[in-house]
Amino acid sequence: METRWDLSTIYNSFNSRQLQEDLDQMASIMDTTISLYSTLDKEALSGEVIVHHIRIVNKLNSLILKLMSYARMVSSLDVENAQANSLKERLDALIPRLNEMNVPFLRYLTRIDNLESWIQGSPLLEEHRMLLYDMQEQGRHLLSDDMEALIANMQQTGSYAFEELHNRLLETLTVDFDFNGEVRQIPFSVIRNMAYAQSQDIRKAAYKAELRSYRKIRDAAAACLNGIKGEALTICRWRGFKSPLEMTLLDNRMNRQTLDALIQTIDAARPKFRQYLKKKAQLLGHEGGLPFYDLYAPMGEFGCHYTNEQARDLILSTFTRFSTDLGDYARKVFDNGWIDLEPREHKASGTYCCNIYELGESRIFANFTGTFYDVTSLAHEIGHGYHYEKLNQNTMLNTDYTMPMAEMASILCQKLVTDRILEDADDKLKFAILENDLMNYTQMLIEILCRHTFENNLFEMRKNGPLTVQQLNQLMLDAQDYAYGDGMSSERHKYMWACKPHYYFPDFHYYNLSYPFGLLFALGIYALYKEDGPAFLPRYEKALS
């Protein structure tokens, strides 16, 4: 079983001839297209222009994804790799140039009154019908060319810079923590992970130490958040959107009725989740609601450990039982060097799946140590890869799904493996797994309701000017009160706005909505599968593609 990536099919090195040729081809496409499009607003309307744009953007996006993926993956194996970081910076700097290319075309589409008449009869345009209508709608919100260029350039030193600054604040933040009378400075990420410690004393001490540590960064974090959200409000107003939420819904191809149904469904479930939180509090020795520091407390005994081979065999047999196609894909991942499995020095933390469209392959990044969580996380990422496998039957542009769809296949695969482990589990393990599911669902539904409420109120107040740290803290406490109610005690987390990177994404406001959508959609699909059995699989695979 291979446990390290094979990246040679992408590029041999940063000095490889193929990498340089791809960089040159990318630059050539952009230079030629920007020059060609400089007079596009004066050109007579022609279907050939649309066909040309679809073709060159498919190629360009494929090259950019390949280059960016390679840089990211090498950097993940060595976080201080200078060549990888240099290539990422070089690709990030292309955003203003991409705007120079895309904006004239979007504006061109808005000049077409009957787009359908141009689409019919062209197989390529038929294939991209939905995307073209999306582009036309985006074009209606464009400003002048000069204003669009100004926004793209200013964001480099505005919201994107604020996002990077916030990342650096968290990466370099150290926390004073008392280890049996000896105070040590430990990384912020380590303190955050102590929320899952077995010892309640450690969880509580880490929670208090974490809250104290925000004094070092709270003013800078507030400035970053005010800058990013203030910029979003300005851009939305100039583009003619009523709110950043309206812009987010358009980007995610979601209507307001769907969003309202999602929020109302979560809202209606709050009493049940509060019942669960109060029961967990009781089991952990609290009266009333659960304090924040015990929100992620592990319950029960997992008592199971998996070798690399055991995890592989469990995932393969589980996936094959669900679908031979999914099982065959997972076997390809394990056998072809598509996964970097184990933690080691200089390797980044976390897990993710990266798609390389041009090769029709994915790579999975993991830090597998043999725990139950590691097995289900591995299944989750293979699910992302399987989704890409189905999407890659399309053109590059048609693989770009919206964020609410991103977690569908991955959560389903995670659920399949969890249920398989439950089949053979004793009562202690069943309790631990089911409580862990409830804990995760609380985070993905009730916590996301809290974040959505906070972000709504933040945007509303930001219209009147920057918010102080005290105002942000109060907004967060109010949102937690609404979402958790008496399920959580008075020991809450007023600085959750400062530690969650999702609030600081300049291009993905309300990013958190993708999690509950993906969860509920995946559970709904799983329920349909259990009703219909294998007959449901063709519908599922079609949905993925």
Side-chain angles (χ1 to χ4, degrees), residues 200 271-291 294-295 297 299 431 435 438 442 484 486-489:
Q200 187 179 83
K272 283 292 184 184
F273 280 98
R274 290 176 181 179
Q275 183 182 353
Y276 153 69
L277 290 169
K278 285 188 280 190
K279 184 63 178 179
K280 183 169 183 174
Q282 179 190 344
L283 293 174
L284 290 171
H286 304 291
E287 292 184 7
L290 188 69
D294 272 348
L295 198 58
M299 300 284 289
F431 175 82
E435 196 285 325
L438 280 171
T442 303
Y484 291 95
D486 62 358
M488 187 181 285
S489 76

PDB file of all heavy atoms in Angstrom, residues 200 271-291 294-295 297 299 431 435 438 442 484 486-489:
ATOM      1  N   GLN A 200     -11.428  17.074  31.732  1.00  0.00           N
ATOM      2  CA  GLN A 200     -12.234  18.287  31.823  1.00  0.00           C
ATOM      3  C   GLN A 200     -11.416  19.458  32.357  1.00  0.00           C
ATOM      4  O   GLN A 200     -11.596  20.604  31.930  1.00  0.00           O
ATOM      5  CB  GLN A 200     -13.449  18.048  32.726  1.00  0.00           C
ATOM      6  CG  GLN A 200     -14.434  19.210  32.746  1.00  0.00           C
ATOM      7  CD  GLN A 200     -15.629  18.927  33.639  1.00  0.00           C
ATOM      8  OE1 GLN A 200     -15.564  19.110  34.855  1.00  0.00           O
ATOM      9  NE2 GLN A 200     -16.726  18.472  33.027  1.00  0.00           N
ATOM     10  N   PRO A 271     -34.926  22.892  19.888  1.00  0.00           N
ATOM     11  CA  PRO A 271     -35.289  22.279  21.177  1.00  0.00           C
ATOM     12  C   PRO A 271     -34.666  20.904  21.392  1.00  0.00           C
ATOM     13  O   PRO A 271     -34.237  20.572  22.504  1.00  0.00           O
ATOM     14  CB  PRO A 271     -36.821  22.195  21.099  1.00  0.00           C
ATOM     15  CG  PRO A 271     -37.213  23.306  20.173  1.00  0.00           C
ATOM     16  CD  PRO A 271     -36.126  23.341  19.142  1.00  0.00           C
ATOM     17  N   LYS A 272     -34.608  20.094  20.324  1.00  0.00           N
ATOM     18  CA  LYS A 272     -34.012  18.756  20.454  1.00  0.00           C
ATOM     19  C   LYS A 272     -32.515  18.852  20.754  1.00  0.00           C
ATOM     20  O   LYS A 272     -31.977  18.087  21.564  1.00  0.00           O
ATOM     21  CB  LYS A 272     -34.249  17.948  19.176  1.00  0.00           C
ATOM     22  CG  LYS A 272     -35.660  17.399  19.031  1.00  0.00           C
ATOM     23  CD  LYS A 272     -35.926  16.327  20.086  1.00  0.00           C
ATOM     24  CE  LYS A 272     -37.316  15.718  19.879  1.00  0.00           C
ATOM     25  NZ  LYS A 272     -37.623  14.741  20.956  1.00  0.00           N
ATOM     26  N   PHE A 273     -31.833  19.766  20.093  1.00  0.00           N
ATOM     27  CA  PHE A 273     -30.400  19.905  20.335  1.00  0.00           C
ATOM     28  C   PHE A 273     -30.135  20.455  21.738  1.00  0.00           C
ATOM     29  O   PHE A 273     -29.153  20.078  22.385  1.00  0.00           O
ATOM     30  CB  PHE A 273     -29.764  20.804  19.268  1.00  0.00           C
ATOM     31  CG  PHE A 273     -29.497  20.073  17.980  1.00  0.00           C
ATOM     32  CD1 PHE A 273     -30.380  20.150  16.914  1.00  0.00           C
ATOM     33  CD2 PHE A 273     -28.371  19.288  17.836  1.00  0.00           C
ATOM     34  CE1 PHE A 273     -30.139  19.471  15.728  1.00  0.00           C
ATOM     35  CE2 PHE A 273     -28.112  18.593  16.660  1.00  0.00           C
ATOM     36  CZ  PHE A 273     -29.006  18.688  15.599  1.00  0.00           C
ATOM     37  N   ARG A 274     -31.000  21.327  22.222  1.00  0.00           N
ATOM     38  CA  ARG A 274     -30.843  21.839  23.587  1.00  0.00           C
ATOM     39  C   ARG A 274     -31.043  20.712  24.597  1.00  0.00           C
ATOM     40  O   ARG A 274     -30.354  20.653  25.621  1.00  0.00           O
ATOM     41  CB  ARG A 274     -31.836  22.978  23.833  1.00  0.00           C
ATOM     42  CG  ARG A 274     -31.484  24.237  23.055  1.00  0.00           C
ATOM     43  CD  ARG A 274     -32.526  25.332  23.238  1.00  0.00           C
ATOM     44  NE  ARG A 274     -32.162  26.523  22.457  1.00  0.00           N
ATOM     45  CZ  ARG A 274     -32.893  27.634  22.409  1.00  0.00           C
ATOM     46  NH1 ARG A 274     -34.026  27.722  23.102  1.00  0.00           N
ATOM     47  NH2 ARG A 274     -32.486  28.662  21.686  1.00  0.00           N
ATOM     48  N   GLN A 275     -31.963  19.838  24.291  1.00  0.00           N
ATOM     49  CA  GLN A 275     -32.183  18.665  25.155  1.00  0.00           C
ATOM     50  C   GLN A 275     -30.916  17.816  25.213  1.00  0.00           C
ATOM     51  O   GLN A 275     -30.501  17.361  26.293  1.00  0.00           O
ATOM     52  CB  GLN A 275     -33.360  17.857  24.605  1.00  0.00           C
ATOM     53  CG  GLN A 275     -33.762  16.649  25.445  1.00  0.00           C
ATOM     54  CD  GLN A 275     -34.911  15.874  24.803  1.00  0.00           C
ATOM     55  OE1 GLN A 275     -35.499  16.304  23.807  1.00  0.00           O
ATOM     56  NE2 GLN A 275     -35.230  14.719  25.366  1.00  0.00           N
ATOM     57  N   TYR A 276     -30.303  17.599  24.059  1.00  0.00           N
ATOM     58  CA  TYR A 276     -29.051  16.835  24.004  1.00  0.00           C
ATOM     59  C   TYR A 276     -27.943  17.535  24.800  1.00  0.00           C
ATOM     60  O   TYR A 276     -27.223  16.904  25.582  1.00  0.00           O
ATOM     61  CB  TYR A 276     -28.622  16.646  22.548  1.00  0.00           C
ATOM     62  CG  TYR A 276     -27.133  16.488  22.345  1.00  0.00           C
ATOM     63  CD1 TYR A 276     -26.458  15.349  22.789  1.00  0.00           C
ATOM     64  CD2 TYR A 276     -26.390  17.493  21.721  1.00  0.00           C
ATOM     65  CE1 TYR A 276     -25.084  15.214  22.611  1.00  0.00           C
ATOM     66  CE2 TYR A 276     -25.023  17.365  21.540  1.00  0.00           C
ATOM     67  CZ  TYR A 276     -24.369  16.236  21.990  1.00  0.00           C
ATOM     68  OH  TYR A 276     -23.018  16.112  21.832  1.00  0.00           O
ATOM     69  N   LEU A 277     -27.786  18.858  24.619  1.00  0.00           N
ATOM     70  CA  LEU A 277     -26.726  19.600  25.296  1.00  0.00           C
ATOM     71  C   LEU A 277     -26.898  19.546  26.807  1.00  0.00           C
ATOM     72  O   LEU A 277     -25.917  19.387  27.555  1.00  0.00           O
ATOM     73  CB  LEU A 277     -26.717  21.050  24.803  1.00  0.00           C
ATOM     74  CG  LEU A 277     -26.255  21.264  23.359  1.00  0.00           C
ATOM     75  CD1 LEU A 277     -26.553  22.695  22.910  1.00  0.00           C
ATOM     76  CD2 LEU A 277     -24.770  20.960  23.196  1.00  0.00           C
ATOM     77  N   LYS A 278     -28.132  19.654  27.278  1.00  0.00           N
ATOM     78  CA  LYS A 278     -28.369  19.614  28.727  1.00  0.00           C
ATOM     79  C   LYS A 278     -28.109  18.205  29.284  1.00  0.00           C
ATOM     80  O   LYS A 278     -27.628  18.051  30.414  1.00  0.00           O
ATOM     81  CB  LYS A 278     -29.794  20.089  29.043  1.00  0.00           C
ATOM     82  CG  LYS A 278     -29.935  21.611  28.905  1.00  0.00           C
ATOM     83  CD  LYS A 278     -31.273  22.135  29.394  1.00  0.00           C
ATOM     84  CE  LYS A 278     -32.358  21.949  28.368  1.00  0.00           C
ATOM     85  NZ  LYS A 278     -33.614  22.671  28.756  1.00  0.00           N
ATOM     86  N   LYS A 279     -28.410  17.180  28.482  1.00  0.00           N
ATOM     87  CA  LYS A 279     -28.121  15.807  28.923  1.00  0.00           C
ATOM     88  C   LYS A 279     -26.610  15.578  28.984  1.00  0.00           C
ATOM     89  O   LYS A 279     -26.107  14.967  29.940  1.00  0.00           O
ATOM     90  CB  LYS A 279     -28.766  14.807  27.965  1.00  0.00           C
ATOM     91  CG  LYS A 279     -28.587  13.352  28.400  1.00  0.00           C
ATOM     92  CD  LYS A 279     -29.259  13.081  29.740  1.00  0.00           C
ATOM     93  CE  LYS A 279     -29.124  11.633  30.156  1.00  0.00           C
ATOM     94  NZ  LYS A 279     -29.761  11.365  31.477  1.00  0.00           N
ATOM     95  N   LYS A 280     -25.906  16.093  27.998  1.00  0.00           N
ATOM     96  CA  LYS A 280     -24.440  15.959  28.023  1.00  0.00           C
ATOM     97  C   LYS A 280     -23.872  16.706  29.225  1.00  0.00           C
ATOM     98  O   LYS A 280     -22.939  16.219  29.887  1.00  0.00           O
ATOM     99  CB  LYS A 280     -23.839  16.499  26.718  1.00  0.00           C
ATOM    100  CG  LYS A 280     -22.323  16.331  26.630  1.00  0.00           C
ATOM    101  CD  LYS A 280     -21.798  16.613  25.230  1.00  0.00           C
ATOM    102  CE  LYS A 280     -20.291  16.362  25.153  1.00  0.00           C
ATOM    103  NZ  LYS A 280     -19.763  16.490  23.781  1.00  0.00           N
ATOM    104  N   ALA A 281     -24.417  17.899  29.505  1.00  0.00           N
ATOM    105  CA  ALA A 281     -23.971  18.666  30.672  1.00  0.00           C
ATOM    106  C   ALA A 281     -24.167  17.855  31.947  1.00  0.00           C
ATOM    107  O   ALA A 281     -23.271  17.796  32.815  1.00  0.00           O
ATOM    108  CB  ALA A 281     -24.732  19.987  30.744  1.00  0.00           C
ATOM    109  N   GLN A 282     -25.325  17.219  32.072  1.00  0.00           N
ATOM    110  CA  GLN A 282     -25.615  16.415  33.258  1.00  0.00           C
ATOM    111  C   GLN A 282     -24.603  15.278  33.401  1.00  0.00           C
ATOM    112  O   GLN A 282     -24.071  15.023  34.499  1.00  0.00           O
ATOM    113  CB  GLN A 282     -27.031  15.852  33.166  1.00  0.00           C
ATOM    114  CG  GLN A 282     -27.433  14.965  34.334  1.00  0.00           C
ATOM    115  CD  GLN A 282     -28.752  14.253  34.074  1.00  0.00           C
ATOM    116  OE1 GLN A 282     -29.516  14.616  33.180  1.00  0.00           O
ATOM    117  NE2 GLN A 282     -29.051  13.230  34.861  1.00  0.00           N
ATOM    118  N   LEU A 283     -24.315  14.581  32.300  1.00  0.00           N
ATOM    119  CA  LEU A 283     -23.369  13.457  32.344  1.00  0.00           C
ATOM    120  C   LEU A 283     -21.959  13.909  32.696  1.00  0.00           C
ATOM    121  O   LEU A 283     -21.162  13.131  33.240  1.00  0.00           O
ATOM    122  CB  LEU A 283     -23.369  12.728  30.996  1.00  0.00           C
ATOM    123  CG  LEU A 283     -24.664  11.996  30.622  1.00  0.00           C
ATOM    124  CD1 LEU A 283     -24.580  11.447  29.206  1.00  0.00           C
ATOM    125  CD2 LEU A 283     -24.948  10.865  31.619  1.00  0.00           C
ATOM    126  N   LEU A 284     -21.644  15.177  32.377  1.00  0.00           N
ATOM    127  CA  LEU A 284     -20.309  15.705  32.677  1.00  0.00           C
ATOM    128  C   LEU A 284     -20.269  16.444  34.007  1.00  0.00           C
ATOM    129  O   LEU A 284     -19.256  17.055  34.357  1.00  0.00           O
ATOM    130  CB  LEU A 284     -19.859  16.641  31.551  1.00  0.00           C
ATOM    131  CG  LEU A 284     -19.541  15.957  30.214  1.00  0.00           C
ATOM    132  CD1 LEU A 284     -19.321  16.992  29.115  1.00  0.00           C
ATOM    133  CD2 LEU A 284     -18.310  15.061  30.347  1.00  0.00           C
ATOM    134  N   GLY A 285     -21.378  16.405  34.766  1.00  0.00           N
ATOM    135  CA  GLY A 285     -21.373  16.951  36.109  1.00  0.00           C
ATOM    136  C   GLY A 285     -21.778  18.402  36.238  1.00  0.00           C
ATOM    137  O   GLY A 285     -21.485  19.047  37.253  1.00  0.00           O
ATOM    138  N   HIS A 286     -22.473  18.937  35.246  1.00  0.00           N
ATOM    139  CA  HIS A 286     -22.921  20.330  35.291  1.00  0.00           C
ATOM    140  C   HIS A 286     -24.414  20.402  35.590  1.00  0.00           C
ATOM    141  O   HIS A 286     -25.168  19.494  35.234  1.00  0.00           O
ATOM    142  CB  HIS A 286     -22.646  21.036  33.957  1.00  0.00           C
ATOM    143  CG  HIS A 286     -21.221  20.998  33.526  1.00  0.00           C
ATOM    144  ND1 HIS A 286     -20.220  21.686  34.172  1.00  0.00           N
ATOM    145  CD2 HIS A 286     -20.621  20.332  32.496  1.00  0.00           C
ATOM    146  CE1 HIS A 286     -19.065  21.461  33.558  1.00  0.00           C
ATOM    147  NE2 HIS A 286     -19.281  20.634  32.536  1.00  0.00           N
ATOM    148  N   GLU A 287     -24.822  21.495  36.170  1.00  0.00           N
ATOM    149  CA  GLU A 287     -26.239  21.778  36.346  1.00  0.00           C
ATOM    150  C   GLU A 287     -26.668  22.774  35.282  1.00  0.00           C
ATOM    151  O   GLU A 287     -25.997  23.761  35.045  1.00  0.00           O
ATOM    152  CB  GLU A 287     -26.505  22.357  37.739  1.00  0.00           C
ATOM    153  CG  GLU A 287     -26.296  21.365  38.872  1.00  0.00           C
ATOM    154  CD  GLU A 287     -26.676  21.958  40.216  1.00  0.00           C
ATOM    155  OE1 GLU A 287     -27.220  23.082  40.222  1.00  0.00           O
ATOM    156  OE2 GLU A 287     -26.431  21.298  41.239  1.00  0.00           O
ATOM    157  N   GLY A 288     -27.804  22.532  34.631  1.00  0.00           N
ATOM    158  CA  GLY A 288     -28.269  23.441  33.586  1.00  0.00           C
ATOM    159  C   GLY A 288     -27.603  23.149  32.263  1.00  0.00           C
ATOM    160  O   GLY A 288     -27.448  21.999  31.842  1.00  0.00           O
ATOM    161  N   GLY A 289     -27.179  24.238  31.581  1.00  0.00           N
ATOM    162  CA  GLY A 289     -26.606  24.086  30.250  1.00  0.00           C
ATOM    163  C   GLY A 289     -25.146  23.670  30.257  1.00  0.00           C
ATOM    164  O   GLY A 289     -24.475  23.636  31.299  1.00  0.00           O
ATOM    165  N   LEU A 290     -24.655  23.360  29.071  1.00  0.00           N
ATOM    166  CA  LEU A 290     -23.276  22.904  28.885  1.00  0.00           C
ATOM    167  C   LEU A 290     -22.353  24.101  28.705  1.00  0.00           C
ATOM    168  O   LEU A 290     -22.615  24.963  27.862  1.00  0.00           O
ATOM    169  CB  LEU A 290     -23.213  22.010  27.646  1.00  0.00           C
ATOM    170  CG  LEU A 290     -21.915  21.254  27.361  1.00  0.00           C
ATOM    171  CD1 LEU A 290     -21.696  20.166  28.415  1.00  0.00           C
ATOM    172  CD2 LEU A 290     -21.969  20.613  25.970  1.00  0.00           C
ATOM    173  N   PRO A 291     -21.270  24.203  29.503  1.00  0.00           N
ATOM    174  CA  PRO A 291     -20.322  25.296  29.263  1.00  0.00           C
ATOM    175  C   PRO A 291     -19.584  25.091  27.944  1.00  0.00           C
ATOM    176  O   PRO A 291     -19.407  23.949  27.494  1.00  0.00           O
ATOM    177  CB  PRO A 291     -19.362  25.198  30.457  1.00  0.00           C
ATOM    178  CG  PRO A 291     -19.494  23.814  30.962  1.00  0.00           C
ATOM    179  CD  PRO A 291     -20.886  23.368  30.650  1.00  0.00           C
ATOM    180  N   ASP A 294     -16.890  22.432  27.344  1.00  0.00           N
ATOM    181  CA  ASP A 294     -17.239  21.012  27.266  1.00  0.00           C
ATOM    182  C   ASP A 294     -18.098  20.678  26.040  1.00  0.00           C
ATOM    183  O   ASP A 294     -18.607  19.560  25.916  1.00  0.00           O
ATOM    184  CB  ASP A 294     -17.974  20.572  28.529  1.00  0.00           C
ATOM    185  CG  ASP A 294     -17.007  20.123  29.623  1.00  0.00           C
ATOM    186  OD1 ASP A 294     -15.823  19.938  29.321  1.00  0.00           O
ATOM    187  OD2 ASP A 294     -17.449  19.965  30.778  1.00  0.00           O
ATOM    188  N   LEU A 295     -18.245  21.646  25.150  1.00  0.00           N
ATOM    189  CA  LEU A 295     -19.071  21.435  23.962  1.00  0.00           C
ATOM    190  C   LEU A 295     -18.553  20.278  23.116  1.00  0.00           C
ATOM    191  O   LEU A 295     -19.312  19.493  22.550  1.00  0.00           O
ATOM    192  CB  LEU A 295     -19.106  22.724  23.135  1.00  0.00           C
ATOM    193  CG  LEU A 295     -20.208  22.890  22.101  1.00  0.00           C
ATOM    194  CD1 LEU A 295     -21.584  22.790  22.738  1.00  0.00           C
ATOM    195  CD2 LEU A 295     -20.060  24.238  21.390  1.00  0.00           C
ATOM    196  N   ALA A 297     -16.361  17.918  24.279  1.00  0.00           N
ATOM    197  CA  ALA A 297     -15.786  16.903  25.163  1.00  0.00           C
ATOM    198  C   ALA A 297     -16.077  15.510  24.621  1.00  0.00           C
ATOM    199  O   ALA A 297     -17.227  15.198  24.296  1.00  0.00           O
ATOM    200  CB  ALA A 297     -16.365  17.054  26.562  1.00  0.00           C
ATOM    201  N   MET A 299     -17.006  11.684  24.687  1.00  0.00           N
ATOM    202  CA  MET A 299     -17.826  10.890  25.604  1.00  0.00           C
ATOM    203  C   MET A 299     -17.653   9.419  25.270  1.00  0.00           C
ATOM    204  O   MET A 299     -17.576   9.037  24.096  1.00  0.00           O
ATOM    205  CB  MET A 299     -19.297  11.282  25.461  1.00  0.00           C
ATOM    206  CG  MET A 299     -19.606  12.737  25.760  1.00  0.00           C
ATOM    207  SD  MET A 299     -19.624  13.119  27.517  1.00  0.00           S
ATOM    208  CE  MET A 299     -21.113  12.287  28.039  1.00  0.00           C
ATOM    209  N   PHE A 431     -22.056   3.975  21.897  1.00  0.00           N
ATOM    210  CA  PHE A 431     -22.351   5.223  22.608  1.00  0.00           C
ATOM    211  C   PHE A 431     -21.378   6.321  22.179  1.00  0.00           C
ATOM    212  O   PHE A 431     -21.778   7.456  21.900  1.00  0.00           O
ATOM    213  CB  PHE A 431     -22.267   5.008  24.117  1.00  0.00           C
ATOM    214  CG  PHE A 431     -22.435   6.277  24.914  1.00  0.00           C
ATOM    215  CD1 PHE A 431     -23.686   6.783  25.191  1.00  0.00           C
ATOM    216  CD2 PHE A 431     -21.321   6.978  25.370  1.00  0.00           C
ATOM    217  CE1 PHE A 431     -23.843   7.961  25.911  1.00  0.00           C
ATOM    218  CE2 PHE A 431     -21.463   8.158  26.087  1.00  0.00           C
ATOM    219  CZ  PHE A 431     -22.733   8.650  26.365  1.00  0.00           C
ATOM    220  N   GLU A 435     -22.691   9.614  20.131  1.00  0.00           N
ATOM    221  CA  GLU A 435     -22.542  10.924  20.777  1.00  0.00           C
ATOM    222  C   GLU A 435     -21.643  11.822  19.924  1.00  0.00           C
ATOM    223  O   GLU A 435     -21.896  13.028  19.804  1.00  0.00           O
ATOM    224  CB  GLU A 435     -21.965  10.767  22.181  1.00  0.00           C
ATOM    225  CG  GLU A 435     -22.125  11.986  23.065  1.00  0.00           C
ATOM    226  CD  GLU A 435     -21.181  13.134  22.737  1.00  0.00           C
ATOM    227  OE1 GLU A 435     -20.023  12.854  22.348  1.00  0.00           O
ATOM    228  OE2 GLU A 435     -21.578  14.308  22.883  1.00  0.00           O
ATOM    229  N   LEU A 438     -23.783  13.239  17.243  1.00  0.00           N
ATOM    230  CA  LEU A 438     -24.618  14.323  17.769  1.00  0.00           C
ATOM    231  C   LEU A 438     -23.802  15.599  17.971  1.00  0.00           C
ATOM    232  O   LEU A 438     -24.266  16.703  17.686  1.00  0.00           O
ATOM    233  CB  LEU A 438     -25.260  13.902  19.087  1.00  0.00           C
ATOM    234  CG  LEU A 438     -26.503  13.006  18.995  1.00  0.00           C
ATOM    235  CD1 LEU A 438     -26.890  12.482  20.362  1.00  0.00           C
ATOM    236  CD2 LEU A 438     -27.663  13.756  18.369  1.00  0.00           C
ATOM    237  N   THR A 442     -24.465  19.013  15.962  1.00  0.00           N
ATOM    238  CA  THR A 442     -24.666  20.263  16.700  1.00  0.00           C
ATOM    239  C   THR A 442     -23.780  21.357  16.132  1.00  0.00           C
ATOM    240  O   THR A 442     -24.211  22.509  15.949  1.00  0.00           O
ATOM    241  CB  THR A 442     -24.362  20.073  18.196  1.00  0.00           C
ATOM    242  OG1 THR A 442     -25.186  19.029  18.722  1.00  0.00           O
ATOM    243  CG2 THR A 442     -24.616  21.351  18.975  1.00  0.00           C
ATOM    244  N   TYR A 484     -28.127  28.516  20.866  1.00  0.00           N
ATOM    245  CA  TYR A 484     -27.994  27.476  21.889  1.00  0.00           C
ATOM    246  C   TYR A 484     -28.994  27.615  23.027  1.00  0.00           C
ATOM    247  O   TYR A 484     -29.355  26.617  23.659  1.00  0.00           O
ATOM    248  CB  TYR A 484     -26.574  27.495  22.468  1.00  0.00           C
ATOM    249  CG  TYR A 484     -25.505  27.044  21.513  1.00  0.00           C
ATOM    250  CD1 TYR A 484     -24.782  27.947  20.746  1.00  0.00           C
ATOM    251  CD2 TYR A 484     -25.202  25.688  21.375  1.00  0.00           C
ATOM    252  CE1 TYR A 484     -23.788  27.521  19.870  1.00  0.00           C
ATOM    253  CE2 TYR A 484     -24.215  25.246  20.512  1.00  0.00           C
ATOM    254  CZ  TYR A 484     -23.511  26.178  19.755  1.00  0.00           C
ATOM    255  OH  TYR A 484     -22.542  25.760  18.891  1.00  0.00           O
ATOM    256  N   ASP A 486     -30.806  27.859  26.454  1.00  0.00           N
ATOM    257  CA  ASP A 486     -30.422  27.302  27.749  1.00  0.00           C
ATOM    258  C   ASP A 486     -29.679  25.978  27.621  1.00  0.00           C
ATOM    259  O   ASP A 486     -29.336  25.357  28.631  1.00  0.00           O
ATOM    260  CB  ASP A 486     -31.655  27.145  28.650  1.00  0.00           C
ATOM    261  CG  ASP A 486     -32.692  26.180  28.066  1.00  0.00           C
ATOM    262  OD1 ASP A 486     -32.474  25.667  26.952  1.00  0.00           O
ATOM    263  OD2 ASP A 486     -33.712  25.951  28.736  1.00  0.00           O
ATOM    264  N   GLY A 487     -29.411  25.563  26.388  1.00  0.00           N
ATOM    265  CA  GLY A 487     -28.565  24.387  26.190  1.00  0.00           C
ATOM    266  C   GLY A 487     -27.110  24.663  26.500  1.00  0.00           C
ATOM    267  O   GLY A 487     -26.323  23.734  26.712  1.00  0.00           O
ATOM    268  N   MET A 488     -26.733  25.942  26.529  1.00  0.00           N
ATOM    269  CA  MET A 488     -25.368  26.338  26.869  1.00  0.00           C
ATOM    270  C   MET A 488     -25.399  27.212  28.112  1.00  0.00           C
ATOM    271  O   MET A 488     -26.294  28.039  28.279  1.00  0.00           O
ATOM    272  CB  MET A 488     -24.711  27.095  25.698  1.00  0.00           C
ATOM    273  CG  MET A 488     -23.228  27.401  25.911  1.00  0.00           C
ATOM    274  SD  MET A 488     -22.489  28.326  24.532  1.00  0.00           S
ATOM    275  CE  MET A 488     -22.356  27.009  23.319  1.00  0.00           C
ATOM    276  N   SER A 489     -24.443  27.031  28.984  1.00  0.00           N
ATOM    277  CA  SER A 489     -24.382  27.811  30.213  1.00  0.00           C
ATOM    278  C   SER A 489     -23.879  29.220  29.922  1.00  0.00           C
ATOM    279  O   SER A 489     -23.635  29.587  28.762  1.00  0.00           O
ATOM    280  CB  SER A 489     -23.446  27.130  31.224  1.00  0.00           C
ATOM    281  OG  SER A 489     -22.088  27.335  30.872  1.00  0.00           O
TER     282      SER A 489
END
